[in-house]
Amino acid sequence: GECSACHQPHAGENRALLTATKEDLCGSCHDLAAPELTAAHSGFSVAGANCQNCHEAHVGAKGSKGFLLPSAHAPFTAGDCNTCHQNNQAAQLTSTVKSLCLTCHDDFARTLEKPVVHAPAKDENGCTGGHGPHVGYGASLQKQQGVATCLECHTSSDFTGTIKHPPAFEDCGTCHEVHAGEYKQLLTTPDIMELCITCHNKANETHYHKMGQGIIDQRTQAELNCVGCHSPHSSDNEAILLADRDRKLCIQCHDLAH
């Protein structure tokens, strides 16, 4: 393969070391304004579009046409564009994005009534931030595979440590509700200790430091739990600790003037 046709070998100004923006890169081989390409997209112009919203860049699923992403939205498969679009114009929708989605996914409206709602789910255009309106990955038509969709927004140092908590990078839904939930931080339970012990069922036996009921975290004045010392996602310290275990972690709570 000629990787350098699209990618810089060492460093570049664009994400994924692309030699140009996605739009310009695809347009260097494919005339995105050509009538035949518009016709191939049911009369919709794709000039200036991000082709990777619908197409794989390198290889497609076996049997797929045009490197389309592997799962398709039912209206798209049926060619029923007018359900969502007016006058064959991609930007001219028949209603707001959320209203369109709730037309079919009416059960989701009840999900949004829960007390804690994920910010994208509140946004009128939030659905298409994580889900492809035409094609995507998996049954939920995610725009990217697995946790990559979540990591588009969640880019803080808590997610970029060299030592990673495997469940956090396999399926965010292990600990969090995706769209809305009953508890803070969209956790699946109000008790963080209970959540951690689902997998780490011997934590109370293997940790010298007491935690849980009656043990107060001096930093928060709340009950000390696992995330008082460990990052639930990633860290640069062993055992995904929040700081070096030899000293820096301890002095966050323990005054050495004694």
Short mmCIF file of all heavy atoms in Angstrom, two decimals, residues 157 160-163 234-238 240-242:
data_model
loop_
_atom_site.label_atom_id
_atom_site.label_comp_id
_atom_site.label_asym_id
_atom_site.label_seq_id
_atom_site.Cartn_x
_atom_site.Cartn_y
_atom_site.Cartn_z
N SER A 157 -6.63 14.49 30.73
CA SER A 157 -5.51 13.62 31.14
C SER A 157 -5.99 12.35 31.81
O SER A 157 -5.26 11.35 31.87
CB SER A 157 -4.57 14.38 32.08
OG SER A 157 -5.26 14.83 33.23
N THR A 160 -5.72 9.76 29.13
CA THR A 160 -4.52 9.66 28.28
C THR A 160 -3.32 9.09 29.00
O THR A 160 -2.21 9.14 28.49
CB THR A 160 -4.16 11.05 27.71
OG1 THR A 160 -3.94 11.96 28.81
CG2 THR A 160 -5.28 11.59 26.83
N GLY A 161 -3.51 8.55 30.20
CA GLY A 161 -2.41 7.96 30.95
C GLY A 161 -1.84 6.73 30.27
O GLY A 161 -2.51 6.07 29.47
N THR A 162 -0.61 6.41 30.60
CA THR A 162 0.05 5.26 29.97
C THR A 162 -0.47 3.93 30.51
O THR A 162 -0.38 2.90 29.84
CB THR A 162 1.57 5.34 30.20
OG1 THR A 162 1.84 5.48 31.59
CG2 THR A 162 2.17 6.53 29.45
N ILE A 163 -0.98 3.94 31.73
CA ILE A 163 -1.54 2.73 32.33
C ILE A 163 -3.06 2.86 32.33
O ILE A 163 -3.61 3.78 32.93
CB ILE A 163 -1.01 2.51 33.76
CG1 ILE A 163 0.51 2.36 33.73
CG2 ILE A 163 -1.65 1.27 34.39
CD1 ILE A 163 1.16 2.31 35.09
N SER A 234 -7.43 6.01 33.63
CA SER A 234 -6.03 5.80 33.30
C SER A 234 -5.15 6.69 34.17
O SER A 234 -5.62 7.64 34.80
CB SER A 234 -5.75 6.09 31.82
OG SER A 234 -5.74 7.49 31.58
N SER A 235 -3.87 6.37 34.19
CA SER A 235 -2.91 7.12 34.99
C SER A 235 -1.51 6.82 34.49
O SER A 235 -1.28 5.84 33.78
CB SER A 235 -3.05 6.72 36.46
OG SER A 235 -1.98 7.23 37.24
N ASP A 236 -0.56 7.66 34.89
CA ASP A 236 0.85 7.38 34.59
C ASP A 236 1.52 6.67 35.76
O ASP A 236 2.73 6.43 35.73
CB ASP A 236 1.60 8.68 34.27
CG ASP A 236 1.19 9.24 32.91
OD1 ASP A 236 0.88 8.44 32.01
OD2 ASP A 236 1.19 10.48 32.76
N ASN A 237 0.74 6.35 36.79
CA ASN A 237 1.29 5.69 37.97
C ASN A 237 0.82 4.24 38.06
O ASN A 237 -0.27 3.91 37.59
CB ASN A 237 0.86 6.43 39.24
CG ASN A 237 1.31 7.87 39.24
OD1 ASN A 237 2.50 8.16 39.34
ND2 ASN A 237 0.37 8.80 39.12
N GLU A 238 1.63 3.39 38.66
CA GLU A 238 1.27 1.98 38.79
C GLU A 238 -0.08 1.83 39.48
O GLU A 238 -0.48 2.66 40.29
CB GLU A 238 2.35 1.23 39.59
CG GLU A 238 2.52 1.71 41.01
CD GLU A 238 3.51 0.84 41.78
OE1 GLU A 238 3.41 -0.39 41.69
OE2 GLU A 238 4.39 1.42 42.46
N ILE A 240 -2.88 2.33 38.40
CA ILE A 240 -3.67 3.52 38.03
C ILE A 240 -3.95 4.43 39.24
O ILE A 240 -5.03 4.99 39.38
CB ILE A 240 -4.97 3.17 37.26
CG1 ILE A 240 -5.82 2.13 37.97
CG2 ILE A 240 -4.69 2.77 35.85
CD1 ILE A 240 -7.17 1.87 37.27
N LEU A 241 -2.92 4.59 40.10
CA LEU A 241 -3.02 5.50 41.23
C LEU A 241 -3.02 6.95 40.76
O LEU A 241 -2.46 7.27 39.70
CB LEU A 241 -1.88 5.26 42.21
CG LEU A 241 -1.93 3.93 42.98
CD1 LEU A 241 -0.61 3.69 43.68
CD2 LEU A 241 -3.09 3.94 43.98
N LEU A 242 -3.59 7.84 41.57
CA LEU A 242 -3.67 9.25 41.21
C LEU A 242 -2.34 9.96 41.36
O LEU A 242 -2.13 11.04 40.80
CB LEU A 242 -4.73 9.95 42.07
CG LEU A 242 -6.16 9.42 41.92
CD1 LEU A 242 -7.08 10.13 42.89
CD2 LEU A 242 -6.65 9.59 40.48
#
